Amino acid sequence: MSIQINPYISALQEVQKAPAPQTQKKSEAGSFGALLEEKQKQLDTQTVRFSKHAANRLSERNISLSEGQLKRLSEGMDKASGKGIKEPLVLIDNLAFIVSTGSRTVITATSQDQTQENIFTNIDGTVIN
């Protein structure tokens, strides 16, 4: 008398013992999520945002920024942030920007020609860049 083992049952038992591929997908998704979050943080630290108020001021005063000026504005934010300044006045060429270094947002903007009294309030430092 010979006993014959069903090959399908043996194969099924081996598959059930193997680690589920979903576990690998979750870890891959986790590392992708972490990588995406890291890249987003890098972009956030490089991006300069403009508040609605600042965008309106730029538009009303016909101020446009070149790529070089935007880069200098970003560098000015970095310098101020490195010194612990939270809301500095950043001066670039004949333009003045009050910014929030925490959110990397321009709060308001003006040109030297349009500044009436040359007084800036609610700032805690100045960067000339």
Side-chain angles (χ1 to χ4, degrees):
M1 176 181 235
S2 69
I3 301 175
Q4 196 170 21
I5 300 175
N6 187 338
Y8 297 111
I9 293 175
S10 296
L12 179 62
Q13 289 172 343
E14 287 179 31
V15 168
Q16 289 175 341
K17 291 178 186 176
Q22 292 176 349
T23 305
Q24 291 175 337
K25 286 183 181 179
K26 284 182 183 179
S27 66
E28 288 172 8
S31 63
F32 174 76
L35 180 63
L36 180 63
E37 186 176 321
E38 179 182 327
K39 291 295 180 184
Q40 184 63 42
K41 285 181 183 177
Q42 286 176 351
L43 285 176
D44 286 346
T45 61
Q46 297 169 351
T47 303
V48 175
R49 295 181 183 90
F50 291 85
S51 69
K52 186 175 180 180
H53 174 78
N56 288 339
R57 290 291 180 258
L58 290 171
S59 177
E60 289 169 2
R61 296 169 178 164
N62 295 324
I63 299 171
S64 59
L65 298 172
S66 68
E67 285 294 319
Q69 288 172 321
L70 278 173
K71 182 179 178 185
R72 289 169 51 207
L73 179 58
S74 179
E75 290 169 354
M77 287 180 167
D78 293 340
K79 288 178 184 178
S81 182
K83 295 289 184 180
I85 303 170
K86 296 184 183 334
E87 291 195 353
L89 169 67
V90 180
L91 300 172
I92 298 172
D93 300 329
N94 68 336
L95 303 173
F97 303 92
I98 296 178
V99 301
S100 169
T101 58
S103 63
R104 298 193 58 80
T105 303
V106 176
I107 298 169
T108 193
T110 189
S111 69
Q112 189 174 11
D113 306 342
Q114 296 162 339
T115 304
Q116 294 175 357
E117 297 179 13
N118 291 328
I119 297 174
F120 297 93
T121 59
N122 298 329
I123 62 169
D124 57 352
T126 302
V127 178
I128 301 171
N129 208 17

